[in-house]
Amino acid sequence: MKLPLHWLGVLPFAAFVVLFLFMPTMKIVIGAFQRPDGSFTLANIAGLFTPSIMAAYWISIKISLASAILGCLIGFGVAAAVVLGGLPQWIRGPLLTFSGVASNFAGVPLAFAFLATLGPVGMLTVFLKTQIGIDLRLLGFNLLSFWGLTITYLFFQIPLMVLIITPALDGLKREWREAASILGATNTQYWRLVAFPILLPSILGTIALLFANAFGAVATAIALTGSSLNIVPILLFAQIRGDVLGDPHLGYALAFGMIVVTGLANGLYIWMRARSERWMK
């Protein structure tokens, strides 16, 4: 059977997905249930329930939740100010363009930017200490910590929230507000009884997506904190980098656990987005 020509444009993308997404994922899943000699075992999965690994997962989940919730709140405020507030419309284009770039700015460049700004000898840290007399270290702030990594993640979490929630805010029909006003509803009642219930699936779905985005961030965490913070991406890196104490198959199990967590979060996002789209049609 001859392949239709319009399918040819999809072939490079399909090959990319198979080679760099599907096959590595299958290698991780299979490796998580194998011994070094290739035989089947559940010992690697059982090893995930050791106290140190469970603690790493818990810290990763807390960082991901904190950055997702804060990113959702701040990003929603920014998007609402542009779409529904009184900000000039010319701000919208540059804001969305910046959000598209910033939401993909991560890894070593992002870690370096925050170290150069808020690190122990960062520009802002030194300025506050020498010029204003505020010592961030004495106040308890440390960039190489839970809240330091959370703040770093916000740099790409907030723009991602802006990009996702802006179409949902655009979908709020003017007729709904007018109908609520005619029926005597105040602005607070409109948001509490009409707008917020409609936007809730989009907001919850975006929180799930931001959670998965932060939970799977590897390069930024390693470049920023090294081994000073016991989170899953750093523990995974230590297991598969090939040193004497490393266990690649336990690393596969760690990666498999990350796939399960992020898969559940992304599945929740897709389900919530489908629910919200029914209201916007």
Side-chain angles (χ1 to χ4, degrees), residues 52-86:
S52 61
I53 294 180
M54 291 298 294
Y57 269 100
W58 179 234
I59 293 175
S60 296
I61 289 172
K62 289 195 295 184
I63 291 176
S64 301
L65 276 176
S67 66
I69 293 173
L70 289 174
C72 180
L73 291 175
I74 300 172
F76 183 87
V78 173
V82 173
V83 177
L84 305 174

Side-chain angles (χ1 to χ4, degrees), residues 58-226:
W58 179 234
I59 293 175
S60 296
I61 289 172
K62 289 195 295 184
I63 291 176
S64 301
L65 276 176
S67 66
I69 293 173
L70 289 174
C72 180
L73 291 175
I74 300 172
F76 183 87
V78 173
V82 173
V83 177
L84 305 174
L87 291 180
Q89 283 299 311
W90 60 265
I91 294 179
R92 175 171 177 146
L95 175 65
L96 294 180
T97 301
F98 171 78
S99 297
V101 175
S103 62
N104 292 286
F105 185 70
V108 176
L110 179 61
F112 172 78
F114 271 82
L115 283 171
T117 305
L118 287 173
V121 291
M123 179 182 63
L124 184 59
T125 304
V126 173
F127 175 80
L128 291 175
K129 183 177 181 180
T130 58
Q131 303 298 323
I132 305 180
I134 299 176
D135 192 336
L136 295 180
R137 299 300 291 267
L138 293 179
L139 294 176
F141 177 77
N142 182 9
L143 189 62
L144 311 181
S145 64
F146 173 91
W147 285 111
L149 188 59
T150 300
I151 291 173
T152 304
Y153 282 176
L154 287 179
F155 188 87
F156 54 78
Q157 296 283 64
I158 294 172
L160 184 59
M161 175 64 179
V162 171
L163 289 176
I164 295 175
I165 205 64
T166 296
L169 292 173
D170 285 331
L172 292 176
K173 295 180 173 58
R174 182 182 302 175
E175 292 83 353
W176 298 340
R177 180 183 288 274
E178 293 174 351
S181 299
I182 292 173
L183 294 174
T186 64
N187 187 57
T188 302
Q189 290 174 325
Y190 164 75
W191 276 99
R192 181 170 59 88
L193 300 175
V194 180
F196 184 72
I198 293 173
L199 292 174
L200 184 60
S202 295
I203 294 173
L204 294 178
T206 306
I207 290 177
L209 181 63
L210 295 181
F211 172 87
N213 193 40
F215 192 83
V218 177
T220 301
I222 294 175
L224 183 68
T225 64

